[in-house]
Amino acid sequence: MNVRDVPLKEFVDSHYKALDEDLAELRLSNENESVPLILTETEGILNLLIGLTGPKRILELGTAHGYSALFFAKKLPEARITTIERNPAMIVYAEDEFAKRKESERIDLRTGDAGEILDGLVEELKDADESEKFDFVFIDAAKSHYREFLEQAEKICTRNALVVCDNILLKGWIVHAEGPEAKRHRTNIKYMKQFLDYLSERDDLEATILTGGDGLVVIRFRNDQ
């Protein structure tokens, strides 16, 4: 099952405009090689969100070949990006892409288990003031660990940070988990449903589900509690 039917997706994609020619070429290369990367509609939503909020420190979980980290860096020339990846093959490609571009001067690639790296960041920033914490978080890593990632990340976020989680509809399986491919992802589906329920139960958060791309949830910490 697809979140969007093919004609509608093609119509939406036809209005996509890359941030620059370099990113357009990188997207095409990634798509041709079936490399995981943010969908064009997802990129458009992120482009709007970070354009409106202007974050200075971005935390990304899930680097892949580095496309989204470079997108953040190009969109926000003053921002610094910390991106986390554990897959050795992805790390090699990301390092190569970063080495080709000046934006990499503002990208801190941390490699290894995301949970362990987040624990390290919590320790690093335990005495930090607001200016040193993250004001935008993009979670696009292991889908069954979104709750743990959020709970760790919020310890190192500013009070007004936005957290965006990608692929929360899991190609539509979140509501229609049939067929052999859905069965292979049943663990992710179970934990994603639990994660979305968890967000609904937290009165100190505002969370909005968007159906663009493969689904996003945008989270804001309530400061009136």
Side-chain angles (χ1 to χ4, degrees):
M1 177 182 178
N2 292 317
V3 179
R4 293 277 190 271
D5 62 40
V6 173
L8 182 56
K9 183 182 184 302
E10 291 177 346
F11 173 77
V12 173
D13 287 347
S14 71
H15 290 77
Y16 166 75
K17 183 177 181 180
L19 200 60
D20 64 18
E21 188 59 33
D22 178 49
L23 278 180
E25 292 177 0
L26 182 57
R27 171 174 286 282
L28 182 60
S29 172
N30 282 190
E31 290 175 344
N32 287 340
E33 297 173 18
S34 299
V35 175
L37 80 163
I38 54 174
L39 299 174
T40 57
E41 194 173 354
T42 302
E43 182 180 325
I45 294 169
L46 290 172
N47 188 50
L48 180 64
L49 288 174
I50 64 174
L52 288 171
T53 58
K56 299 298 183 185
R57 294 202 66 192
I58 296 175
L59 174 63
E60 175 187 55
L61 280 68
T63 311
H65 285 198
Y67 179 89
S68 48
L70 287 166
F71 164 75
F72 290 135
K74 286 173 176 284
K75 175 67 177 181
L76 301 167
E78 303 300 318
R80 304 196 67 83
I81 296 92
T82 297
T83 183
I84 300 171
E85 180 59 58
R86 69 175 298 172
N87 184 305
M90 296 290 188
I91 291 166
V92 170
Y93 279 103
E95 289 176 335
D96 182 59
E97 296 297 348
F98 293 157
K100 298 174 185 175
R101 297 166 173 86
K102 67 180 187 305
E103 288 85 6
S104 63
E105 297 173 359
R106 294 180 287 109
I107 298 174
D108 176 14
L109 172 61
R110 303 205 179 192
T111 61
D113 179 79
E116 294 176 3
I117 293 171
L118 286 170
D119 285 341
L121 286 169
V122 170
E123 181 64 23
E124 283 180 36
L125 298 173
K126 64 181 180 181
D127 298 318
D129 59 30
E130 285 281 284
S131 65
E132 298 176 90
K133 294 182 179 181
F134 296 100
D135 46 1
F136 192 90
V137 180
F138 183 52
I139 300 177
D140 189 18
K143 311 310 174 190
S144 60
H145 293 281
Y146 273 23
R147 175 172 175 170
E148 297 97 304
F149 293 156
L150 174 64
E151 290 177 339
Q152 289 171 294
E154 66 180 306
K155 297 174 185 176
I156 49 179
C157 283
T158 64
R159 287 169 53 83
N160 295 314
L162 281 185
V163 179
V164 179
C165 303
D166 198 11
N167 304 118
I168 59 96
L169 298 182
L170 297 171
K171 298 184 178 181
W173 299 326
I174 200 76
V175 294
H176 189 76
E178 295 183 2
E181 192 174 4
K183 289 181 180 179
R184 288 196 297 272
H185 292 85
R186 58 184 177 272
T187 300
N188 285 340
I189 295 166
K190 179 182 76 173
Y191 280 103
M192 188 64 75
K193 287 181 177 179
Q194 291 177 357
F195 173 63
L196 296 175
D197 289 341
Y198 163 75
L199 294 180
S200 299
E201 293 163 1
R202 284 191 54 173
D203 293 333
D204 61 332
L205 298 177
E206 291 181 343
T208 299
I209 294 175
L210 306 177
T211 58
D214 189 29
L216 302 163
V217 61
V218 180
I219 303 162
R220 186 179 76 87
F221 304 109
R222 293 187 61 180
N223 296 315
D224 57 351
Q225 298 295 304

